[in-house]
Amino acid sequence: MRWLTLWLSLACQSLLAAEWFPYPVRADGRMLDYRPLPAASQPWRICALLPHGKDRYWWGVAWGLDQEARRLGVRLGIYEAGGYEHADVQVEQFGHCVAEGADAFVVASINTYDLCSAAEVQIKAGRPVIDLVNRLECPGLSAHSRVDFADMTRATLKYLVRVSEGRPIQVGWLPGPADAGWVQDAERGLRDALPGTRVTLAHGGYAPVDRSSQAQLTRELLKQHPRLDYLIANAEAAAFAAQLVRNIGSETQVLSFYATERVLEQIREGQVLAAPTDSPVIQARIALDLAVRGLQGEKLPQLVSPQIEMLDADSLDRFDLGRLMPPEGHWMIRQELPD
């Protein structure tokens, strides 16, 4: 762990010392270098809603939002619902932000549609609603700052097919919570990528991305399919599976279809084979900049996506960790919307 702490500290010091932009993105289908506003025209009040704060993926999102708010000079509230099983809490938090008079909303949604009616009211009133990371699928949203998880799983399967040299392989699949938009996207990408490969897929089922739920599914999947060549999983399941296969002497190799600090540590230690990153810190920064641009009357792109990068033992040393997680010593940021 010591190597990761030092590496993370140096990487994030570098990110703080220099501006994070220009940053290569795909915006409405075109590749370009994203350049945010130098500052907001006034201290807008913006609410950010996140599904939970249980891991450093979402700590990184919260940190990116907070850092960009400071850079732009806006006031930011950050709320997390406590888990994907608490969709009702996120709806309540959106209502709380409305009652507090928020000027704009950045939403990493728990469910794909739950907030649509509330978002529509705010958009019609001239208050931007920006979709962040998870896919909030509502008509008329101001903009989307996210990477399509279909592309994440396509990249993961493409990598797996390459390293397996095209031989027939059995692959386990543990995506996460069934109702989450990012999981639905991930499954769509996997379905699209399977034809033409020699992959036999074993689906392990759905559950929230907490350790207990994913551990149960992982154990059951490996019990039912003890000869899996590979397991592609959400980060929590992948992290647990990497330990389990070692303990039981299984030859199954584990991949995550997105990267977290723990997954990167296990890649470095040879326990996880690879994972793609969607640069969540950058997604968060872009989402907040889009919210400010919308408030200031600019025409917004509909979808802005940082480039996906596949991380394995060979590529990890070249990767800037400040795109993925906060510096060492920074925890989940939760804060009320300032007056």
Side-chain angles (χ1 to χ4, degrees), residues 83-275:
Y84 282 95
E85 65 274 29
H86 298 307
D88 56 330
V89 173
Q90 190 168 69
V91 173
E92 291 172 4
Q93 289 173 335
F94 193 99
H96 171 74
C97 287
V98 171
E100 290 295 311
D103 297 310
F105 305 81
V106 173
V107 180
S109 59
I110 288 178
N111 289 336
T112 313
Y113 304 106
D114 280 4
L115 291 170
C116 287
S117 58
E120 182 181 10
V121 172
Q122 298 308 306
I123 293 165
K124 286 182 177 178
R127 303 182 188 102
V129 179
I130 309 297
D131 167 38
L132 171 61
V133 176
N134 276 358
R135 186 165 69 84
L136 180 62
E137 195 65 39
C138 306
L141 285 180
S142 307
H144 305 259
S145 176
R146 61 177 177 84
V147 170
D148 191 341
F149 268 72
D151 293 333
M152 298 281 277
T153 49
R154 288 190 195 103
T156 306
L157 192 68
K158 181 179 179 181
Y159 176 92
L160 189 155
V161 168
R162 179 174 63 80
V163 298
S164 64
E165 299 180 335
R167 64 184 173 86
I169 53 175
Q170 291 190 326
V171 179
W173 172 239
L174 289 170
D179 292 336
W182 60 276
V183 170
Q184 295 165 7
D185 292 341
E187 297 213 289
R188 170 171 53 85
L190 195 62
R191 286 194 304 269
D192 292 348
L194 281 172
T197 70
R198 304 179 75 185
V199 173
T200 301
L201 194 70
H203 201 304
Y206 305 100
V209 283
D210 60 83
R211 184 174 178 82
S212 175
S213 299
Q214 293 301 319
Q216 183 178 349
L217 288 184
T218 303
R219 289 192 186 98
E220 186 61 29
L221 177 62
L222 291 174
K223 179 181 177 182
Q224 294 294 326
H225 302 275
R227 297 185 181 278
L228 289 176
D229 297 296
Y230 299 94
L231 171 64
I232 302 175
N234 64 76
E236 191 60 52
F240 177 79
Q243 296 176 327
L244 180 62
V245 298
R246 183 176 56 177
N247 292 342
I248 66 177
S250 170
E251 295 184 0
T252 302
Q253 295 191 70
V254 179
L255 302 90
S256 175
F257 62 91
Y258 59 95
T260 64
E261 177 187 25
R262 188 177 180 192
V263 166
L264 295 189
E265 181 183 352
Q266 290 175 311
I267 291 173
R268 173 70 69 172
E269 294 174 351
Q271 298 176 23
V272 170
L273 183 59

Side-chain angles (χ1 to χ4, degrees), residues 48-65:
L49 305 182
L50 309 181
H52 64 83
K54 299 178 183 180
D55 60 51
R56 287 178 69 89
Y57 182 99
W58 292 108
W59 297 3
V61 170
W63 181 73
L65 289 166

Side-chain angles (χ1 to χ4, degrees), residues 39-81:
S41 62
Q42 64 185 74
W44 303 103
R45 299 173 68 243
I46 300 173
C47 262
L49 305 182
L50 309 181
H52 64 83
K54 299 178 183 180
D55 60 51
R56 287 178 69 89
Y57 182 99
W58 292 108
W59 297 3
V61 170
W63 181 73
L65 289 166
D66 180 70
Q67 289 294 302
E68 196 62 12
R70 293 171 185 269
R71 192 190 68 79
L72 288 166
V74 298
R75 291 170 287 176
L76 179 68
I78 300 177
Y79 302 85
E80 56 96 359

